[in-house]
Amino acid sequence: MLIRLFLPKSRKPSSRAVSRREFFQQLWPISKAPETTLEQAAGPVARRDFRPPGAVGEAEFVTRCTGCALCADACTAGAIGPDSGGLAALDLNQTPCLACWDMPCIQACPEKALAPLAGIWQVRMGSASVRAQSCWQVTGERNCGQTCLAACPLPHSALKLYPGQAPNISRLVCIGCGLCVSACPSPGPGTIQVAIT
């Protein structure tokens, strides 16, 4: 009697024919996976080049940027040029972005590949890092005059200096402009370098 209570109750046979698919779905219910876009399935598109301030996500940037060079014309530093595909790019380890407060490159973009920002603290081109072995601040070989700190557009925030230590660069705050790279007097190869983050 008790066994009967735990047995599954039999359903009344239906006169409707059950398809093979319905039969297996009744045996193993499968929850439908949410649909994903091609970009979500592939994941975010990685940047290979530094993009100008305000650049939208890389996947959107490569579809919006037409290579018109208006941002390059507006760039007072002459830092913006074409990448291998003709799109706007920078080489921040060679020519830094001046991190202009009025951001003329963004204003010049007609395609909205460069989105307006509230200020330079919102720029995200990359992040700088230091090779302590060749930093004069560490080696004491010469007095560098704290040129990296003086060049930083967000001093004491993106870049901090402590006696006898390599510059402390915050990956969260550093905008990756490359000004510290060009200001560093150390002859060591790449004492400060900017990388895409």
Side-chain angles (χ1 to χ4, degrees):
M1 180 84 166
L2 284 174
I3 296 171
R4 242 182 112 158
L5 293 173
F6 294 107
L7 289 175
K9 293 182 180 176
S10 60
R11 294 184 182 174
K12 292 182 180 178
S14 171
S15 58
R16 186 177 75 84
V18 177
S19 72
R20 179 182 169 96
R21 181 182 209 167
E22 288 173 323
F23 172 76
F24 284 110
Q25 283 178 340
Q26 287 173 2
L27 288 177
W28 298 288
I30 299 170
S31 59
K32 188 177 178 186
E35 291 183 19
T36 56
T37 63
L38 182 60
E39 188 171 327
Q40 288 171 328
V45 177
R47 283 189 298 148
R48 291 190 313 238
D49 297 289
F50 293 106
R51 296 300 183 197
V56 295
E58 186 67 5
E60 189 176 354
F61 183 85
V62 297
T63 59
R64 287 186 176 220
C65 179
T66 61
C68 68
L70 291 175
C71 59
D73 293 342
C75 179
T76 56
I80 303 174
D83 66 7
S84 58
L87 306 181
L90 301 96
D91 184 352
L92 298 169
N93 291 304
Q94 295 298 317
T95 307
C97 167
L98 297 181
C100 307
W101 285 93
D102 58 347
M103 293 181 252
C105 55
I106 293 176
Q107 295 176 31
C109 181
E111 305 300 329
K112 305 293 184 230
L114 307 179
L117 302 172
I120 64 162
W121 61 88
Q122 290 185 326
V123 172
R124 290 290 170 261
M125 293 180 285
S127 183
S129 61
V130 181
R131 286 182 68 245
Q133 310 88 293
S134 59
C135 175
W136 287 352
Q137 188 75 7
V138 176
T139 65
E141 189 178 322
R142 289 193 186 163
N143 182 355
C144 67
Q146 300 184 341
T147 55
C148 56
L149 183 66
C152 182
L154 299 169
H156 308 293
S157 179
L159 189 148
K160 297 176 184 177
L161 283 181
Y162 302 102
Q165 295 179 14
N168 183 341
I169 299 173
S170 168
R171 289 177 62 101
L172 294 174
V173 183
C174 177
I175 65 172
C177 63
L179 286 167
C180 58
V181 175
S182 62
C184 179
S186 170
T191 297
I192 305 178
Q193 288 286 293
V194 179
I196 293 170
T197 51

